[in-house]
Amino acid sequence: AAAAAAVAGKPAMPDPTGPAKEFCELLSATVASVEEAGEAGDTEAPLAALRGTLRGMSPEMPVHERLAWLLEDNTVDNAKLLESLREALDMVSFVPSQDAEFPEGFPTFTPVGFIQVKQYPASRAATSSGFWPLFMHIKSKGIAMTTPVKMEYADGDGRPRQQDMSFYYGDANLGAASPNGSVKVADRPAETVVSLGLRGRMRDEAIADAANRLERWVRSHDGYAAAGDYRVMAYSEPATPRQNKYYEVQIPLQKEP
């Protein structure tokens, strides 16, 4: 599961938590049970548990989409079943390398293909129009690089368009707010987001698809409303091999009255 970290020679990110962790563990156990049963074995018990979990999951999740046929088809042979389960497990069990420290109190990553509600603490971040002004800012201030790097997006001509980029300070009390200049340093309140984990190069098509899934998730969940445009949280440094890059697309949330 920690293949990316092993390849990069860096520590893996901390494990996911809550329902995301529970689903990954259940899927792993189901794969092991089907493997142990063999082609002619009885797999109804582990599959019943997995089906029950899938019914309670959001259909907007790519991993749910990959396994949705299990809710309808009870006659598939174990060889085909195992192939599909392994593909889904390969998706969600990817563990990114931790290329820099998280800001204090930030949650760990969301599994690839999974949608998760996450809580972020109050933070301080430097924002500019691109990478190099931010890099020179933290270098001149002696501020350590952290992960993730936040990129604000908005739709433009039917395609995702990056607006601003932000580096989070490791400590919300580090330095001071500075609202003027090419790099603006501002304090941000605690927030709730809904997030989808993705693997690979940050392609416009993948970002747009993820944003669409999250928008559908928000519409289908009473009690939540979008509190802003979607954004990308990039966790991997440029030298990370393409297949091991990890990022999240998120939408900030607010509680509906």
Side-chain angles (χ1 to χ4, degrees), residues 151-210:
M151 289 170 280
E152 301 281 359
Y153 274 76
D155 286 325
D157 300 325
R159 300 183 64 186
R161 299 292 183 187
Q162 183 182 327
Q163 306 297 304
D164 290 313
M165 178 180 290
S166 297
F167 286 1
Y168 288 99
Y169 285 21
D171 182 339
N173 296 312
L174 185 64
S178 177
N180 301 313
S182 61
V183 175
K184 299 176 176 60
V185 180
D187 292 328
R188 301 164 185 263
E191 63 179 344
T192 301
V193 306
V194 59
S195 180
L196 170 58
L198 297 106
R199 178 181 182 178
R201 184 169 62 89
M202 288 191 293
R203 298 179 295 106
D204 286 349
E205 297 82 0
I207 293 171
D209 176 71

Short mmCIF file of all heavy atoms in Angstrom, two decimals, residues 151-210:
data_model
loop_
_atom_site.label_atom_id
_atom_site.label_comp_id
_atom_site.label_asym_id
_atom_site.label_seq_id
_atom_site.Cartn_x
_atom_site.Cartn_y
_atom_site.Cartn_z
N MET A 151 -4.55 25.60 -4.79
CA MET A 151 -4.76 26.34 -6.03
C MET A 151 -6.25 26.57 -6.21
O MET A 151 -7.02 25.61 -6.30
CB MET A 151 -4.18 25.55 -7.22
CG MET A 151 -2.66 25.53 -7.21
SD MET A 151 -1.96 24.38 -8.41
CE MET A 151 -2.16 22.85 -7.51
N GLU A 152 -6.64 27.82 -6.23
CA GLU A 152 -8.05 28.18 -6.42
C GLU A 152 -8.39 28.10 -7.91
O GLU A 152 -7.63 28.56 -8.76
CB GLU A 152 -8.31 29.60 -5.92
CG GLU A 152 -8.00 29.82 -4.45
CD GLU A 152 -9.09 29.29 -3.54
OE1 GLU A 152 -10.10 28.77 -4.06
OE2 GLU A 152 -8.94 29.41 -2.31
N TYR A 153 -9.55 27.53 -8.20
CA TYR A 153 -9.98 27.35 -9.58
C TYR A 153 -11.36 27.97 -9.80
O TYR A 153 -12.14 28.13 -8.86
CB TYR A 153 -10.05 25.87 -9.95
CG TYR A 153 -8.74 25.29 -10.43
CD1 TYR A 153 -7.72 25.01 -9.53
CD2 TYR A 153 -8.51 25.03 -11.77
CE1 TYR A 153 -6.51 24.47 -9.95
CE2 TYR A 153 -7.31 24.50 -12.21
CZ TYR A 153 -6.32 24.22 -11.29
OH TYR A 153 -5.12 23.70 -11.73
N ALA A 154 -11.63 28.28 -11.05
CA ALA A 154 -12.97 28.68 -11.47
C ALA A 154 -13.13 28.24 -12.92
O ALA A 154 -12.13 28.09 -13.65
CB ALA A 154 -13.17 30.18 -11.35
N ASP A 155 -14.34 28.02 -13.35
CA ASP A 155 -14.57 27.62 -14.74
C ASP A 155 -14.36 28.82 -15.66
O ASP A 155 -14.77 29.93 -15.37
CB ASP A 155 -16.00 27.10 -14.92
CG ASP A 155 -16.17 25.71 -14.32
OD1 ASP A 155 -15.20 24.94 -14.40
OD2 ASP A 155 -17.24 25.40 -13.80
N GLY A 156 -13.71 28.55 -16.80
CA GLY A 156 -13.51 29.57 -17.81
C GLY A 156 -13.56 28.96 -19.19
O GLY A 156 -12.77 28.07 -19.49
N ASP A 157 -14.50 29.37 -19.99
CA ASP A 157 -14.67 28.81 -21.34
C ASP A 157 -14.84 27.30 -21.31
O ASP A 157 -14.35 26.57 -22.17
CB ASP A 157 -13.47 29.16 -22.22
CG ASP A 157 -13.28 30.66 -22.37
OD1 ASP A 157 -14.32 31.36 -22.41
OD2 ASP A 157 -12.14 31.13 -22.44
N GLY A 158 -15.53 26.83 -20.27
CA GLY A 158 -15.81 25.40 -20.16
C GLY A 158 -14.66 24.58 -19.63
O GLY A 158 -14.75 23.34 -19.57
N ARG A 159 -13.55 25.21 -19.23
CA ARG A 159 -12.39 24.49 -18.72
C ARG A 159 -11.98 25.08 -17.37
O ARG A 159 -12.18 26.28 -17.11
CB ARG A 159 -11.21 24.59 -19.69
CG ARG A 159 -11.48 24.01 -21.07
CD ARG A 159 -10.24 24.08 -21.92
NE ARG A 159 -9.18 23.24 -21.37
CZ ARG A 159 -7.94 23.22 -21.86
NH1 ARG A 159 -7.61 24.00 -22.88
NH2 ARG A 159 -7.02 22.43 -21.33
N PRO A 160 -11.36 24.26 -16.50
CA PRO A 160 -10.88 24.79 -15.22
C PRO A 160 -9.78 25.82 -15.44
O PRO A 160 -8.86 25.60 -16.25
CB PRO A 160 -10.32 23.54 -14.50
CG PRO A 160 -10.92 22.37 -15.20
CD PRO A 160 -11.13 22.80 -16.62
N ARG A 161 -9.86 26.93 -14.74
CA ARG A 161 -8.85 27.97 -14.85
C ARG A 161 -8.31 28.29 -13.45
O ARG A 161 -9.07 28.66 -12.57
CB ARG A 161 -9.43 29.24 -15.47
CG ARG A 161 -9.97 29.06 -16.89
CD ARG A 161 -8.86 28.79 -17.88
NE ARG A 161 -9.38 28.68 -19.24
CZ ARG A 161 -8.64 28.31 -20.28
NH1 ARG A 161 -7.37 28.01 -20.12
NH2 ARG A 161 -9.18 28.23 -21.49
N GLN A 162 -6.99 28.15 -13.29
CA GLN A 162 -6.39 28.46 -11.99
C GLN A 162 -6.41 29.96 -11.76
O GLN A 162 -6.06 30.74 -12.65
CB GLN A 162 -4.96 27.93 -11.92
CG GLN A 162 -4.31 28.15 -10.56
CD GLN A 162 -2.88 27.67 -10.53
OE1 GLN A 162 -2.52 26.70 -11.18
NE2 GLN A 162 -2.05 28.36 -9.76
N GLN A 163 -6.80 30.37 -10.54
CA GLN A 163 -6.86 31.78 -10.20
C GLN A 163 -5.67 32.20 -9.35
O GLN A 163 -4.90 33.06 -9.74
CB GLN A 163 -8.16 32.05 -9.43
CG GLN A 163 -9.42 31.58 -10.15
CD GLN A 163 -9.65 32.30 -11.46
OE1 GLN A 163 -9.73 33.52 -11.49
NE2 GLN A 163 -9.74 31.55 -12.54
N ASP A 164 -5.50 31.61 -8.20
CA ASP A 164 -4.43 31.95 -7.27
C ASP A 164 -3.82 30.68 -6.70
O ASP A 164 -4.41 29.59 -6.78
CB ASP A 164 -4.96 32.80 -6.10
CG ASP A 164 -5.35 34.20 -6.54
OD1 ASP A 164 -4.56 34.84 -7.26
OD2 ASP A 164 -6.45 34.65 -6.17
N MET A 165 -2.63 30.83 -6.11
CA MET A 165 -1.95 29.74 -5.44
C MET A 165 -1.59 30.19 -4.03
O MET A 165 -1.24 31.36 -3.82
CB MET A 165 -0.68 29.35 -6.23
CG MET A 165 0.13 28.25 -5.60
SD MET A 165 1.61 27.84 -6.59
CE MET A 165 0.84 27.06 -8.01
N SER A 166 -1.68 29.24 -3.07
CA SER A 166 -1.37 29.59 -1.68
C SER A 166 -0.44 28.55 -1.06
O SER A 166 -0.61 27.35 -1.28
CB SER A 166 -2.65 29.68 -0.84
OG SER A 166 -3.51 30.70 -1.29
N PHE A 167 0.54 29.05 -0.28
CA PHE A 167 1.38 28.22 0.57
C PHE A 167 0.90 28.43 2.01
O PHE A 167 0.82 29.58 2.47
CB PHE A 167 2.84 28.61 0.50
CG PHE A 167 3.55 28.22 -0.78
CD1 PHE A 167 2.89 27.56 -1.80
CD2 PHE A 167 4.89 28.52 -0.94
CE1 PHE A 167 3.55 27.21 -2.98
CE2 PHE A 167 5.56 28.17 -2.11
CZ PHE A 167 4.89 27.51 -3.12
N TYR A 168 0.61 27.35 2.70
CA TYR A 168 0.24 27.45 4.11
C TYR A 168 1.48 27.55 4.99
O TYR A 168 2.47 26.85 4.76
CB TYR A 168 -0.57 26.23 4.54
CG TYR A 168 -1.97 26.18 3.98
CD1 TYR A 168 -2.26 25.39 2.87
CD2 TYR A 168 -3.00 26.89 4.56
CE1 TYR A 168 -3.54 25.33 2.35
CE2 TYR A 168 -4.29 26.84 4.05
CZ TYR A 168 -4.55 26.05 2.95
OH TYR A 168 -5.82 26.00 2.43
N TYR A 169 1.41 28.41 6.00
CA TYR A 169 2.46 28.43 7.02
C TYR A 169 2.26 27.19 7.91
O TYR A 169 1.13 26.78 8.17
CB TYR A 169 2.36 29.69 7.87
CG TYR A 169 2.85 30.96 7.21
CD1 TYR A 169 2.94 31.09 5.82
CD2 TYR A 169 3.23 32.04 7.99
CE1 TYR A 169 3.40 32.25 5.24
CE2 TYR A 169 3.68 33.23 7.41
CZ TYR A 169 3.76 33.33 6.04
OH TYR A 169 4.22 34.49 5.46
N GLY A 170 3.37 26.66 8.42
CA GLY A 170 3.26 25.48 9.27
C GLY A 170 2.55 25.76 10.58
O GLY A 170 1.92 24.88 11.16
N ASP A 171 2.64 27.00 11.03
CA ASP A 171 2.03 27.42 12.29
C ASP A 171 1.24 28.70 12.01
O ASP A 171 1.76 29.65 11.42
CB ASP A 171 3.12 27.67 13.33
CG ASP A 171 2.59 28.06 14.70
OD1 ASP A 171 1.44 28.52 14.80
OD2 ASP A 171 3.34 27.92 15.68
N ALA A 172 -0.02 28.72 12.44
CA ALA A 172 -0.88 29.89 12.17
C ALA A 172 -0.41 31.13 12.89
O ALA A 172 -0.87 32.24 12.59
CB ALA A 172 -2.31 29.57 12.56
N ASN A 173 0.51 30.99 13.86
CA ASN A 173 1.03 32.14 14.58
C ASN A 173 2.39 32.60 14.06
O ASN A 173 2.97 33.55 14.59
CB ASN A 173 1.16 31.81 16.08
CG ASN A 173 -0.19 31.52 16.71
OD1 ASN A 173 -1.13 32.29 16.53
ND2 ASN A 173 -0.29 30.43 17.45
N LEU A 174 2.88 31.95 13.02
CA LEU A 174 4.17 32.30 12.45
C LEU A 174 4.06 33.56 11.61
O LEU A 174 3.13 33.71 10.82
CB LEU A 174 4.68 31.14 11.59
CG LEU A 174 6.08 31.25 10.99
CD1 LEU A 174 7.13 31.28 12.09
CD2 LEU A 174 6.33 30.07 10.05
N GLY A 175 5.03 34.47 11.77
CA GLY A 175 5.03 35.69 10.97
C GLY A 175 3.86 36.60 11.30
O GLY A 175 3.37 36.62 12.42
N ALA A 176 3.40 37.33 10.29
CA ALA A 176 2.30 38.27 10.50
C ALA A 176 1.51 38.42 9.21
O ALA A 176 2.04 38.24 8.12
CB ALA A 176 2.83 39.63 10.94
N ALA A 177 0.24 38.75 9.36
CA ALA A 177 -0.61 38.99 8.19
C ALA A 177 -0.11 40.24 7.45
O ALA A 177 0.34 41.20 8.07
CB ALA A 177 -2.06 39.17 8.62
N SER A 178 -0.18 40.17 6.12
CA SER A 178 0.26 41.29 5.29
C SER A 178 -0.60 41.31 4.03
O SER A 178 -0.32 40.59 3.07
CB SER A 178 1.74 41.12 4.92
OG SER A 178 2.17 42.14 4.06
N PRO A 179 -1.66 42.10 4.02
CA PRO A 179 -2.65 42.03 2.93
C PRO A 179 -2.23 42.72 1.64
O PRO A 179 -2.96 42.66 0.66
CB PRO A 179 -3.87 42.73 3.53
CG PRO A 179 -3.29 43.70 4.50
CD PRO A 179 -2.06 43.04 5.07
N ASN A 180 -1.07 43.39 1.62
CA ASN A 180 -0.67 44.15 0.44
C ASN A 180 0.53 43.52 -0.25
O ASN A 180 1.24 42.70 0.32
CB ASN A 180 -0.33 45.60 0.84
CG ASN A 180 -1.52 46.30 1.49
OD1 ASN A 180 -2.63 46.23 0.97
ND2 ASN A 180 -1.27 46.96 2.61
N GLY A 181 0.76 43.91 -1.51
CA GLY A 181 1.92 43.44 -2.26
C GLY A 181 1.58 42.27 -3.16
O GLY A 181 0.44 41.79 -3.23
N SER A 182 2.59 41.80 -3.90
CA SER A 182 2.38 40.69 -4.84
C SER A 182 2.11 39.39 -4.12
O SER A 182 1.51 38.47 -4.69
CB SER A 182 3.59 40.54 -5.76
OG SER A 182 4.76 40.25 -5.00
N VAL A 183 2.58 39.27 -2.88
CA VAL A 183 2.28 38.11 -2.03
C VAL A 183 1.49 38.60 -0.83
O VAL A 183 1.96 39.45 -0.07
CB VAL A 183 3.56 37.39 -1.57
CG1 VAL A 183 3.22 36.27 -0.60
CG2 VAL A 183 4.33 36.84 -2.77
N LYS A 184 0.29 38.12 -0.69
CA LYS A 184 -0.58 38.54 0.41
C LYS A 184 -0.63 37.44 1.47
O LYS A 184 -0.88 36.28 1.14
CB LYS A 184 -1.99 38.83 -0.10
CG LYS A 184 -2.03 39.96 -1.14
CD LYS A 184 -3.42 40.15 -1.69
CE LYS A 184 -3.50 41.33 -2.64
NZ LYS A 184 -2.58 41.18 -3.80
N VAL A 185 -0.39 37.78 2.71
CA VAL A 185 -0.44 36.84 3.82
C VAL A 185 -1.69 37.12 4.63
O VAL A 185 -1.90 38.25 5.09
CB VAL A 185 0.81 36.95 4.72
CG1 VAL A 185 0.72 35.95 5.87
CG2 VAL A 185 2.07 36.71 3.89
N ALA A 186 -2.54 36.12 4.76
CA ALA A 186 -3.83 36.33 5.43
C ALA A 186 -4.14 35.17 6.34
O ALA A 186 -3.73 34.02 6.11
CB ALA A 186 -4.94 36.51 4.40
N ASP A 187 -4.90 35.46 7.38
CA ASP A 187 -5.39 34.43 8.29
C ASP A 187 -6.73 33.91 7.78
O ASP A 187 -7.58 34.69 7.36
CB ASP A 187 -5.55 35.00 9.70
CG ASP A 187 -4.21 35.35 10.33
OD1 ASP A 187 -3.22 34.66 10.02
OD2 ASP A 187 -4.15 36.32 11.11
N ARG A 188 -6.90 32.60 7.85
CA ARG A 188 -8.10 31.97 7.33
C ARG A 188 -8.81 31.24 8.48
O ARG A 188 -8.16 30.57 9.28
CB ARG A 188 -7.75 30.98 6.22
CG ARG A 188 -7.03 31.65 5.06
CD ARG A 188 -6.33 30.65 4.17
NE ARG A 188 -5.56 31.33 3.13
CZ ARG A 188 -5.97 31.56 1.89
NH1 ARG A 188 -7.17 31.15 1.53
NH2 ARG A 188 -5.22 32.17 1.02
N PRO A 189 -10.12 31.36 8.54
CA PRO A 189 -10.84 30.67 9.61
C PRO A 189 -10.89 29.17 9.38
O PRO A 189 -10.62 28.67 8.28
CB PRO A 189 -12.25 31.28 9.52
CG PRO A 189 -12.39 31.66 8.07
CD PRO A 189 -11.01 32.11 7.65
N ALA A 190 -11.23 28.44 10.42
CA ALA A 190 -11.45 27.00 10.28
C ALA A 190 -12.55 26.77 9.26
O ALA A 190 -13.46 27.59 9.11
CB ALA A 190 -11.84 26.40 11.63
N GLU A 191 -12.48 25.67 8.55
CA GLU A 191 -13.47 25.41 7.51
C GLU A 191 -13.72 23.92 7.34
O GLU A 191 -12.92 23.07 7.74
CB GLU A 191 -13.04 26.02 6.18
CG GLU A 191 -11.77 25.45 5.61
CD GLU A 191 -11.40 26.07 4.26
OE1 GLU A 191 -12.27 26.71 3.63
OE2 GLU A 191 -10.24 25.91 3.84
N THR A 192 -14.87 23.64 6.71
CA THR A 192 -15.26 22.28 6.34
C THR A 192 -15.26 22.19 4.83
O THR A 192 -15.73 23.10 4.15
CB THR A 192 -16.66 21.96 6.88
OG1 THR A 192 -16.66 22.11 8.31
CG2 THR A 192 -17.07 20.53 6.54
N VAL A 193 -14.73 21.08 4.30
CA VAL A 193 -14.72 20.89 2.85
C VAL A 193 -15.17 19.47 2.54
O VAL A 193 -15.16 18.58 3.40
CB VAL A 193 -13.30 21.10 2.25
CG1 VAL A 193 -12.75 22.46 2.65
CG2 VAL A 193 -12.35 19.99 2.66
N VAL A 194 -15.58 19.25 1.30
CA VAL A 194 -15.78 17.90 0.79
C VAL A 194 -14.69 17.67 -0.24
O VAL A 194 -14.43 18.52 -1.09
CB VAL A 194 -17.20 17.68 0.21
CG1 VAL A 194 -17.51 18.64 -0.93
CG2 VAL A 194 -17.38 16.23 -0.22
N SER A 195 -14.02 16.52 -0.15
CA SER A 195 -12.80 16.30 -0.91
C SER A 195 -12.83 14.97 -1.64
O SER A 195 -13.36 13.97 -1.12
CB SER A 195 -11.61 16.33 0.07
OG SER A 195 -10.39 16.13 -0.61
N LEU A 196 -12.24 14.93 -2.83
CA LEU A 196 -12.07 13.71 -3.62
C LEU A 196 -10.60 13.53 -3.92
O LEU A 196 -9.94 14.43 -4.45
CB LEU A 196 -12.86 13.81 -4.92
CG LEU A 196 -12.64 12.73 -5.99
CD1 LEU A 196 -12.94 11.34 -5.44
CD2 LEU A 196 -13.48 13.00 -7.23
N GLY A 197 -10.04 12.35 -3.56
CA GLY A 197 -8.64 12.07 -3.80
C GLY A 197 -8.38 11.58 -5.22
O GLY A 197 -9.16 10.77 -5.74
N LEU A 198 -7.28 12.05 -5.82
CA LEU A 198 -6.92 11.66 -7.18
C LEU A 198 -5.43 11.36 -7.28
O LEU A 198 -4.62 11.89 -6.53
CB LEU A 198 -7.28 12.76 -8.18
CG LEU A 198 -8.77 13.09 -8.30
CD1 LEU A 198 -9.07 14.41 -7.64
CD2 LEU A 198 -9.20 13.11 -9.75
N ARG A 199 -5.10 10.55 -8.28
CA ARG A 199 -3.72 10.11 -8.49
C ARG A 199 -3.30 10.40 -9.93
O ARG A 199 -4.09 10.24 -10.85
CB ARG A 199 -3.62 8.61 -8.21
CG ARG A 199 -2.26 7.98 -8.42
CD ARG A 199 -2.33 6.50 -8.13
NE ARG A 199 -1.03 5.85 -8.27
CZ ARG A 199 -0.82 4.55 -8.04
NH1 ARG A 199 -1.82 3.77 -7.66
NH2 ARG A 199 0.39 4.04 -8.19
N GLY A 200 -2.05 10.83 -10.11
CA GLY A 200 -1.53 11.07 -11.45
C GLY A 200 -1.35 12.55 -11.74
O GLY A 200 -1.42 13.40 -10.86
N ARG A 201 -1.14 12.87 -13.00
CA ARG A 201 -0.94 14.25 -13.43
C ARG A 201 -2.24 15.04 -13.28
O ARG A 201 -3.33 14.51 -13.51
CB ARG A 201 -0.47 14.27 -14.88
CG ARG A 201 -0.12 15.64 -15.42
CD ARG A 201 0.59 15.55 -16.75
NE ARG A 201 -0.25 14.93 -17.77
CZ ARG A 201 -1.08 15.59 -18.56
NH1 ARG A 201 -1.21 16.91 -18.42
NH2 ARG A 201 -1.78 14.96 -19.47
N MET A 202 -2.11 16.31 -12.91
CA MET A 202 -3.29 17.17 -12.75
C MET A 202 -3.78 17.65 -14.10
O MET A 202 -3.38 18.70 -14.59
CB MET A 202 -2.97 18.35 -11.83
CG MET A 202 -2.80 17.96 -10.38
SD MET A 202 -2.73 19.39 -9.27
CE MET A 202 -1.17 20.12 -9.78
N ARG A 203 -4.62 16.85 -14.74
CA ARG A 203 -5.18 17.20 -16.05
C ARG A 203 -6.48 17.98 -15.88
O ARG A 203 -7.23 17.74 -14.94
CB ARG A 203 -5.43 15.93 -16.86
CG ARG A 203 -4.19 15.11 -17.17
CD ARG A 203 -4.53 13.86 -17.95
NE ARG A 203 -5.34 12.94 -17.16
CZ ARG A 203 -6.63 12.71 -17.34
NH1 ARG A 203 -7.30 13.36 -18.30
NH2 ARG A 203 -7.29 11.86 -16.59
N ASP A 204 -6.72 18.90 -16.79
CA ASP A 204 -7.96 19.69 -16.74
C ASP A 204 -9.19 18.79 -16.72
O ASP A 204 -10.15 19.05 -15.98
CB ASP A 204 -8.04 20.63 -17.95
CG ASP A 204 -7.10 21.81 -17.84
OD1 ASP A 204 -6.54 22.03 -16.75
OD2 ASP A 204 -6.93 22.53 -18.85
N GLU A 205 -9.16 17.72 -17.54
CA GLU A 205 -10.32 16.84 -17.62
C GLU A 205 -10.59 16.15 -16.29
O GLU A 205 -11.74 16.00 -15.86
CB GLU A 205 -10.11 15.79 -18.72
CG GLU A 205 -9.98 16.36 -20.12
CD GLU A 205 -8.59 16.87 -20.44
OE1 GLU A 205 -7.69 16.78 -19.57
OE2 GLU A 205 -8.40 17.36 -21.57
N ALA A 206 -9.51 15.71 -15.62
CA ALA A 206 -9.68 15.03 -14.33
C ALA A 206 -10.18 15.99 -13.26
O ALA A 206 -11.04 15.64 -12.44
CB ALA A 206 -8.35 14.39 -13.90
N ILE A 207 -9.66 17.22 -13.28
CA ILE A 207 -10.10 18.22 -12.30
C ILE A 207 -11.57 18.57 -12.52
O ILE A 207 -12.36 18.65 -11.57
CB ILE A 207 -9.22 19.47 -12.39
CG1 ILE A 207 -7.80 19.14 -11.93
CG2 ILE A 207 -9.80 20.61 -11.56
CD1 ILE A 207 -6.80 20.25 -12.19
N ALA A 208 -11.95 18.77 -13.79
CA ALA A 208 -13.35 19.10 -14.09
C ALA A 208 -14.29 17.97 -13.71
O ALA A 208 -15.38 18.21 -13.17
CB ALA A 208 -13.48 19.43 -15.58
N ASP A 209 -13.89 16.72 -13.97
CA ASP A 209 -14.73 15.59 -13.61
C ASP A 209 -14.89 15.49 -12.09
O ASP A 209 -15.99 15.26 -11.59
CB ASP A 209 -14.12 14.29 -14.14
CG ASP A 209 -14.90 13.06 -13.71
OD1 ASP A 209 -16.02 12.86 -14.22
OD2 ASP A 209 -14.40 12.31 -12.83
N ALA A 210 -13.79 15.69 -11.36
CA ALA A 210 -13.86 15.64 -9.90
C ALA A 210 -14.75 16.75 -9.36
O ALA A 210 -15.56 16.52 -8.44
CB ALA A 210 -12.46 15.74 -9.31
#
